[in-house]
Amino acid sequence: MRLGEMSWTALGERLDQSPLDVIIPLGALEQHGPHLPLDTDALIAEAVADRAARNIGGCVVSPCIPIGASSHHLAFPGTASLSDQTLQSVLGEVIQTLLGHGFQSAYLVTGHAGNVGAMAATTAELDSGDHSRVVSFDDWPAQRDAIHQVAETQLNLNRELVGTHGGHFETSIMLAIAPDRVDMPSAVAGHIGPASSASATLRSEGMAALSPVGVIGDPRGATADAGELYLDALVGLVVEGIEDHRNRTKPRVIP
């Protein structure tokens, strides 16, 4: 179920029937190389949230927060960015208002690594009553490692070639969920190297200093089949996290 497609009366009736959680996807409006659209992260976050909700049950998916913390991409036209403080304020108010309507728990899922600082800060500053009801999937290295494990063990690909931003994994996911939005003839290789050093340069100097084309990795061998494998890995992390959180809270009845 998508929250934005429901009426307030239908939602109210559903909330009265049994416990209901909300997944809040976070995206970005930023460049993803010459071959992917500016809203790539939002589309991926929505896809992960939708699939996780279908797999776990008892969840609705809120509309995506479409602009994130993307200052490191501002050298490229079309990128918009919020400060960490602004994004944290937005997240905090969205969470509090939704929980106030009776959602049992809220889960934050991001398609953009730049959002994780604001996500972690938001959950850390929630009051004690709300803190136990909110889970933020902000361990980006764990998500990146899950993707690279898929690449190495199932696709026999080098993780540095797979890359991260605009590379093999994001391009493959986009071919799986929105192939009409991918311009594969324009795909070019970007920065190739260890993810940790790439992230350090990205944070300190910005994407343009790391990769003039705005890509980390080589997207040219991307496929929709690989995208499904990457999606399965990301969705699996979210489902596992929701299950763990539910097991640590009171028993639930999922229709």
Side-chain angles (χ1 to χ4, degrees), residues 81-187:
S81 181
L82 301 176
S83 68
D84 282 346
Q85 294 79 6
T86 298
L87 181 57
Q88 183 180 340
S89 295
V90 169
L91 282 175
E93 293 187 24
V94 168
I95 289 167
Q96 289 176 340
T97 51
L98 289 177
L99 291 181
H101 289 303
F103 287 102
Q104 182 159 281
S105 299
Y107 302 101
L108 306 181
V109 174
T110 184
H112 170 51
N115 293 336
V116 300
M119 293 164 65
T122 299
T123 55
E125 293 191 3
L126 291 170
D127 62 41
S128 58
D130 287 344
H131 188 272
S132 63
R133 301 168 63 193
V134 179
V135 174
S136 172
F137 293 94
D138 52 43
D139 187 348
W140 192 260
Q143 297 177 53
R144 183 184 63 209
D145 286 348
I147 288 294
H148 288 163
Q149 282 289 327
V150 168
E152 290 180 335
T153 63
Q154 299 186 56
L155 299 171
N156 197 30
L157 295 174
N158 180 283
R159 62 175 56 201
E160 294 183 7
L161 288 175
V162 169
T164 53
H165 188 85
H168 188 274
F169 101 79
E170 283 193 321
T171 304
S172 292
I173 291 177
M174 287 295 289
L175 287 171
I177 64 174
D180 58 320
R181 305 284 300 278
V182 182
D183 180 15
M184 283 305 294
S186 297

Side-chain angles (χ1 to χ4, degrees), residues 180-235:
D180 58 320
R181 305 284 300 278
V182 182
D183 180 15
M184 283 305 294
S186 297
V188 293
H191 171 81
I192 307 294
S196 57
S197 62
S199 295
T201 302
L202 188 62
R203 289 192 300 268
S204 62
E205 301 180 47
M207 176 60 83
L210 180 69
S211 171
V213 296
V215 173
I216 302 175
D218 189 346
R220 291 174 294 180
T223 67
D225 287 343
E228 291 292 343
L229 293 175
Y230 292 140
L231 271 173
D232 286 346
L234 293 175
V235 171

